[in-house]
Amino acid sequence: MPAAVPAACASLRAGAASWRATRARRHAACRSAGGQQGEQATSTPLDVLRNDLHYLEGLDMAAREAHDEVVAVLNPIAGEAMTRQLEEQIAGLQQELAQAHTQIHRTEGRLRGTVQNLTELEQSVRSTFGSASDADLVATRWDAAGAAAAASSSAAASTATAAAAAGITLPARPAAAPARQGAALRRRRQGRDAGLSSVLAIPEQLKDYWFPVEFSASLGEGKMVPFELFGQMWVLFRDESGRAACVHDECAHRACPLSLGTVEDGRVQCAYHGWQFNSRGECTKMPSTAFCKGIKVQALPVVESDGLVWVWPGSEEARAAAGPPPSALTSPPSGFQVHAELVLEVSVEHGLLLENLLDLAHAPFTHTTTFAKGWPVPDVVRFNAAQILGGNWEPYPIDMQFGPPCMVLSTIGLTSPGKIERGARASSCKNHLHQLHVCLPSSEGRTRLLYRMSLDFLHWTKAVPGINKFWEKIAGQVLGEDLVLVQGQQDRMSRGGDVWANPVSYDKLGVRYRRWRNSVASGDPAARAQAEAGLQPLSAGEIFAQEAAAAEAEPRA
């Protein structure tokens, strides 16, 4: 075989390899230039595509020249066998060239379509967003999309594949989806700017408060009450002098829950090996082995006040500055008697539950089979008319308040048992029901709920047999109506939902709670003080007052 034939084939293969290497270098240069901040990219994705086409056309021309050279060399060759062999090689090269031509045209069309679609998407998104920062954000995504599209070396790459590589979904109607996304982005920015962003994680700064974790009446002598707070397990008991104590519910020996044991002479005794711990968490007894000094478990500061057991899970420095627990918030008003004290474990984040309890507007829609059965939906016309006259229309005789760190207080005026009066404030009613809800942050997605109900009438009902079971059943029904909604919110939040995308005027109490919580998480004392200054009781009329919803959602200075 003449040497020119293998040389031509080798030249053709070398040309293809050279084209692939050059193409890769140009793609890398495009991506590098597009990623440099503050500099203008030297090549666009469309430029890279044009260069690719030029190289492919050059390869096609080189292949044709190699073919002509091979044919010219073959003409003088004698020998039938040699001729057939060379002809087969030529036919194979021609077939490869034909396939390359077809693939080139397909790739060209698909890549041009990809660039066209991405260009249209860029234009539609740029027209949707109004601010320069939004346009920059979209431009950044476009640059990444173009680089990803240009880098797709597979000839079978489609428009959807190229867009997916850039993190962009190309809809059938490009203008509609960006418009919806832009509106959602603006709503979420409005909430974030107003300090209303919600998260399921519990901020560490929230520990620097007194937390009422149990009713005093439930912590009898010799009894232990285990509970969870901020993701850690604790156990309450009374020491040898009858004072409430709280230690980590985990034995220092083998990590067995101490709450599985007993209280012996004011000390917690582990059920596993009998080790005992006092109210300070110090191990005082180790049966069947030599005693080791210095063994202890963590203990929390405890204060008993107003029929509640309070613990401090935060730092000692913050406790010194905070002073005693805010028992003025939790004690029943003068003339009231406690009729029910309940503790419930709820599988929902405590902040969402607090916002639900502070939301009065949902009652006539949610609690249609319990306490709000028959309640009228507040009429916006009455609110507007009352504001013109310089006052508030009171749809329900209810006053509500949030008390840091996790309490909701409400007083409901009743004209007669179970009956509310429209147009009246709670203070003007003859009878009243006072409620205290304590929503303890047990862990992420779980709440320990303490509920106390007090009345200033019907005191004789406290002596009715089984009355506690009755109140427990009612509370369970009311909570069940709320939980299906709040758990749904929690699920949507875990999927990226925003519970504060569009706050309105009757969301005042929830808005103020969320601002307060986020100010605590920020660690800014000034922001926290400003948020706490707004935590005042509101009547139902003040809650529903129709001032502009934006006034509550505006950022605080």
Side-chain angles (χ1 to χ4, degrees), residues 27 96 101 113 220 259 307 319 348 497 506 508:
H27 286 189
E96 291 179 6
H101 277 292
S259 56
R319 180 166 72 97
V348 72
Y506 57 67
K508 295 180 186 68

Side-chain angles (χ1 to χ4, degrees), residues 11 23 25 49 97 102 112 117 132 153 165 269 276 289 333 351 359 361 368 391 425 461 502 509 557:
S11 175
R23 181 174 181 268
R25 287 195 300 273
L49 295 175
L97 286 172
T102 302
R112 287 185 183 277
N117 284 335
S153 59
Q269 179 172 288
Q276 293 185 4
T289 187
D359 186 336
T368 55
R425 293 202 64 150
T461 60
N502 296 288
L509 286 175

Side-chain angles (χ1 to χ4, degrees), residues 19 34 94 97 127 151 229 234 238 282 294 297-298 311 322 355 367 372 395 399 407 410 452 473 499 502 526 551:
W19 169 76
Q94 290 174 335
L97 286 172
S127 64
L229 186 63
W234 305 92
R238 294 195 180 276
E282 300 165 342
V297 295
Q298 185 180 358
V311 302
E355 290 169 349
H367 301 291
D399 295 338
M407 294 170 285
S410 60
R452 172 189 278 171
K473 180 179 179 181
V499 298
N502 296 288

